[in-house]
Amino acid sequence: MVKYVPSILTISNFIAGISAILFASHGYIFYAVMMILMGMLFDCFDGYSARLLNVCSPIGKELDSLADVVTFGVAPMIIHFAVNGMGFWTILSMFAFSIGAIVRLARFNVAQSQLNYFIGLPVPAAALVALLIVQILPSILCGLVIVVLGGLMVSNIHVKKLGHAKEEIEV
């Protein structure tokens, strides 16, 4: 039964993402943000628990990325839409960010999961920044920053993985 803990955490991340979308679509922005933050906690511990329990698997990696697309790629953009409405920059930035997230996660699964650094801004980090700016910036500026976040996710910048802080990484 213990071997299912990582998958339970991954599915909990997915459920948190779906819940965030539902809350945001009904105007409950605070609860939507809380669900995404809960998803981040689940996401932090699913991979860690899989390695700790020695139950890493290709399907687990794929499930994790699919849950991350919902919780960190789509749900923050539904919040963005709920807060900023149906403007050009809102719609453009929603697509740019969500596309950046799916490309970033696919690229990670294919080529990067064994590296001690990330190539491109990690999707949860981009989601966290997006959640913050949606609350404080005017909609046009918010949309522009979110487009940039979408680009950073698929960029070639190197970002240290947590837990690898002592290792040197070339930029």
Side-chain angles (χ1 to χ4, degrees), residues 109-129:
N109 280 356
V110 169
Q112 297 178 34
S113 60
Q114 300 304 316
L115 298 175
N116 64 354
Y117 57 90
F118 296 110
I119 299 174
L121 183 65
V123 178
L128 189 58
V129 173

Side-chain angles (χ1 to χ4, degrees), residues 150-170:
L152 286 173
M153 285 187 279
V154 295
S155 72
N156 288 319
I157 63 168
H158 290 195
V159 179
K160 290 181 181 181
K161 285 185 179 179
L162 295 176
H164 292 90
K166 295 180 183 176
E167 299 177 25
E168 290 296 317
I169 297 174
E170 285 185 35

Side-chain angles (χ1 to χ4, degrees), residues 77 80 89-101 146-147 150:
M77 294 303 97
H80 174 35
W89 286 104
T90 302
I91 301 301
L92 177 70
S93 60
M94 287 174 63
F95 285 125
F97 187 94
S98 298
I99 290 167
I146 289 175
V147 167

Side-chain angles (χ1 to χ4, degrees), residues 39-153:
M40 285 184 179
L41 282 175
F42 295 132
D43 188 49
C44 284
F45 291 112
D46 62 0
Y48 175 77
S49 64
R51 289 184 295 277
L52 185 69
L53 297 170
N54 198 28
V55 292
C56 295
S57 70
I59 194 163
K61 182 169 68 170
E62 298 299 328
L63 281 174
D64 182 64
S65 288
L66 291 170
D68 288 356
V69 165
V70 172
T71 305
F72 309 125
V74 176
M77 294 303 97
I78 302 300
I79 292 171
H80 174 35
F81 181 78
V83 170
N84 291 311
M86 182 79 125
F88 171 78
W89 286 104
T90 302
I91 301 301
L92 177 70
S93 60
M94 287 174 63
F95 285 125
F97 187 94
S98 298
I99 290 167
I102 62 171
V103 170
R104 166 74 179 74
L105 289 164
R107 184 171 72 176
F108 175 79
N109 280 356
V110 169
Q112 297 178 34
S113 60
Q114 300 304 316
L115 298 175
N116 64 354
Y117 57 90
F118 296 110
I119 299 174
L121 183 65
V123 178
L128 189 58
V129 173
L131 289 174
L132 291 172
I133 64 166
V134 161
Q135 303 300 317
I136 60 174
L137 294 179
S139 64
I140 292 173
L141 187 55
C142 180
L144 288 170
V145 173
I146 289 175
V147 167
V148 170
L149 288 171
L152 286 173
M153 285 187 279

